[in-house]
Amino acid sequence: DTAVSQTPKYLVTQMGNDKSIKCEQNLGHDTMYWYKQDSKKFLKIMFSYNNKELIINETVPNRFSPKSPDKAHLNLHINSLELGDSAVYFCASSQDVNWGVYNEQFFGPGTRLTVL
Amino acid sequence: GDSVTQMEGPVTLSEEAFLTINCTYTATGYPSLFWYVQYPGEGLQLLLKATKADDKGSNKGFEATYRKETTSFHLEKGSVQVSDSAVYFCALSGSWAGTASKLTFGTGTRLQVTL
């Protein structure tokens, strides 16, 4: 009955490789997000999708490409991995994007990516 | 742009001590304010929230009051337990179109409670 799930939990890879992280939510939410948490625990939004459409794209290198096949899934593909990509990546979802009114975001357990 | 500043950690307290974690923010308009908690090895959970000035959010003995005059949202608990050991994040959600869905986080404060 996991609400927001991510796979894999841990990912260790070499520089230059391409990898994907998957996220699924079973809450029936319309909006999904990717956040990056660095080694100092600082959290920053990367992307947000609403009903499969991109609505937030922070200044993220274009090596990062989110893909939303349906509103329950938001995957993150990373090309040409770099050392600085090492971090914990969190997926989240919320009921809807309702401008001016916040909707609670539910977070997944995170994927720890280590680039060697 | 929007920003959140919270006190540096780690904060180490004995069980049953009083907890305060300071949080101040910079934002235009009337943001919503939140405290999230991250237990070891887990994702973030919403602890409490306040969506307008003078609102008090509360949950599990934790409280925080939205103070617009001081742009603050300090987290307090009267008597901490070992199980409260975690990292606490203050966050805001903007009030303008395009910012309402985006959470801006502080740097997190690690709390360690000992017996």
Side-chain angles (χ1 to χ4, degrees):
Chain A
D1 61 343
T2 304
V4 182
S5 60
Q6 297 178 227
T7 54
K9 191 171 175 63
Y10 300 96
L11 183 53
V12 181
T13 188
Q14 300 287 331
M15 263 196 321
N17 284 350
D18 303 338
K19 290 293 178 186
S20 292
I21 306 172
K22 296 186 176 182
C23 178
E24 176 180 1
Q25 54 94 4
N26 62 6
L27 298 167
H29 288 166
D30 293 321
T31 307
M32 296 184 73
Y33 313 80
W34 277 109
Y35 288 85
K36 179 180 179 181
Q37 185 177 45
D38 64 23
S39 58
K40 297 184 178 179
K41 296 286 189 182
F42 185 66
L43 268 159
K44 188 171 166 56
I45 191 166
M46 301 173 69
F47 301 103
S48 175
Y49 270 72
N50 179 252
N51 278 319
K52 302 193 298 176
E53 289 194 21
L54 182 66
I55 56 170
I56 292 176
N57 183 352
E58 294 294 288
T59 50
V60 179
N62 57 15
R63 298 182 295 104
F64 289 79
S65 52
K67 285 187 171 51
S68 182
D70 55 62
K71 71 176 191 179
H73 295 85
L74 180 62
N75 303 323
L76 183 65
H77 188 74
I78 315 171
N79 288 328
S80 302
L81 278 155
E82 300 177 357
L83 293 176
D85 297 332
S86 296
V88 181
Y89 293 84
F90 286 100
C91 178
S93 72
S94 67
Q95 180 73 33
D96 196 359
V97 171
N98 195 350
W99 304 121
V101 178
Y102 174 79
N103 292 287
E104 178 180 348
Q105 294 185 22
F106 293 79
F107 283 78
T111 296
R112 182 176 294 277
L113 171 65
T114 303
V115 182
L116 303 175
Chain B
D2 297 346
S3 67
V4 176
T5 303
Q6 60 181 106
M7 62 189 286
E8 294 278 336
V11 174
T12 303
L13 295 173
S14 299
E15 203 170 41
E16 298 184 2
F18 184 85
L19 168 71
T20 300
I21 300 178
N22 290 337
C23 171
T24 57
Y25 68 90
T26 302
T28 53
Y30 301 92
S32 297
L33 302 173
F34 311 89
W35 278 100
Y36 276 82
V37 58
Q38 185 179 25
Y39 297 103
E42 297 185 15
L44 280 78
Q45 302 173 26
L46 180 65
L47 181 60
L48 53 85
K49 68 181 179 187
T51 56
K52 61 182 187 297
D54 300 325
D55 267 3
K56 178 187 281 189
S58 60
N59 186 25
K60 299 181 182 179
F62 291 89
E63 292 183 341
T65 301
Y66 186 164
R67 302 280 188 207
K68 190 159 177 63
E69 64 276 11
T70 54
T71 61
S72 65
F73 192 55
H74 304 321
L75 182 69
E76 296 181 338
K77 186 175 186 183
S79 175
V80 293
Q81 306 299 312
V82 171
S83 57
D84 295 326
S85 298
V87 180
Y88 292 81
F89 292 91
C90 186
L92 71 80
S93 174
S95 56
W96 304 108
T99 65
S101 66
K102 184 173 82 168
L103 284 172
T104 299
F105 286 91
T107 51
T109 302
R110 182 179 298 279
L111 170 66
Q112 182 154 359
V113 181
T114 59
L115 290 171

